[in-house]
Amino acid sequence: MIPIKSKYEIEQMKAAGKIVGEVLEMLKEKIIPGISTKELDKLAESYIIRNGALPSFKGVPGYSGAIDFPASVCASVNDQVIHGIPDDTILNEGDIISIDVGACYNGYHGDAARTYEVGECSEKASRLITFTKESFFKGLEMVRPGNRVIDVSGAIQDYIESAGYTLVREFTGHGIGHELHEEPEVPNYRTKFRGPRLQNGMAIAIEPMVIDGERYIYVDSDNKWTVYTEDGSLAAHYENTVIVNDDEPIITTLICN
């Protein structure tokens, strides 16, 4: 069953989302050559806790034998698509890094991701980041009561594939609220199922995961979390928490566009 959020719940989600958005804006200024992904994680965790929330990701149960997630952000560099575990990896000029952040405030979650350039990047990398972000907003245009999830999915797929990129199919967006992951699934591509109709008060995390190469991926055999592109291509990720609204969708995690 897909939870419909009350006015109270939406206010809590706005507060959680604001913290997430602020974390991402803060980290954007810290992402420079020479910093480690572990340092970025510490900065994020400190900010979340200082603002009265808890990191949503820390301690998320592992799957397929993985340990519980040990950090407050996912930090995925270059050919890492999602679920990069922060460590002593140092960012270098020309890298790209996707930061995925979750915060839980008064029992409600916000979840968002951005992909950033480290120093000066190639035109190819910059283009990938731009199109990934823009595909989110193409999907957002379809977030209206009465539309279906597949309308959001199809808009993202059409935009990304017309630009010559591919989409990850093994991972999707999701419902969000009192739980970090709720119904419904929100794929970034059309499936044979049309998905549920969107209703006022539904909350979803829309998150295109885009590859500049073949769409195939694999999961790190050691940590069983980090997802890589199979052919070593660059990958980008962009996500926001969105609440379906009669007037226009509410993006809880967007501080500035």
Side-chain angles (χ1 to χ4, degrees), residues 64-188:
S64 302
I67 61 170
D68 293 351
F69 197 78
S72 296
V73 305
C74 300
S76 307
V77 181
N78 294 333
D79 63 336
Q80 296 175 345
V81 185
I82 51 173
H83 301 164
I85 297 176
D87 57 16
D88 293 325
T89 298
I90 300 296
L91 298 182
N92 297 307
E93 184 86 14
D95 286 341
I96 65 172
I97 180 170
S98 297
I99 301 288
D100 195 350
V101 180
C104 184
Y105 182 82
N106 282 349
Y108 291 87
H109 294 272
D111 184 7
R114 307 282 186 268
T115 302
Y116 300 111
E117 300 180 20
V118 182
E120 205 167 312
C121 286
S122 67
E123 184 178 337
K124 183 178 183 181
S126 296
R127 183 179 186 271
L128 172 66
I129 293 170
T130 297
F131 273 84
T132 301
K133 176 180 177 179
E134 289 176 351
S135 73
F136 165 86
F137 289 98
K138 292 296 181 181
L140 185 71
E141 292 174 5
M142 305 308 295
V143 178
R144 299 290 185 274
N147 282 353
R148 290 187 180 272
V149 167
I150 197 171
D151 297 316
V152 179
S153 307
I156 293 170
Q157 182 179 15
D158 289 346
Y159 188 74
I160 285 301
E161 292 184 351
S162 69
Y165 298 118
T166 59
L167 287 154
V168 172
R169 296 186 176 230
E170 292 82 355
F171 296 89
T172 70
H174 51 89
I176 184 171
H178 186 59
E179 302 294 333
L180 179 60
H181 293 100
E182 299 180 349
E183 293 296 326
E185 284 193 348
V186 185
N188 297 307

Side-chain angles (χ1 to χ4, degrees), residues 8-42:
Y8 170 81
E9 290 175 307
I10 290 171
E11 289 307 309
Q12 304 314 303
M13 291 190 70
K14 285 181 179 178
K18 181 173 182 288
I19 294 168
V20 170
E22 289 172 348
V23 169
L24 288 165
E25 286 300 304
M26 179 267 293
L27 291 182
K28 180 169 69 174
E29 303 305 318
K30 306 294 184 181
I31 294 172
I32 59 174
I35 197 167
S36 72
T37 56
K38 184 185 290 185
E39 289 176 272
L40 295 173
D41 181 65
K42 287 179 180 178

Side-chain angles (χ1 to χ4, degrees), residues 45-57:
E45 181 171 309
S46 176
Y47 191 95
I48 291 167
I49 292 171
R50 284 201 318 271
N51 283 274
L54 294 172
S56 298
F57 299 168

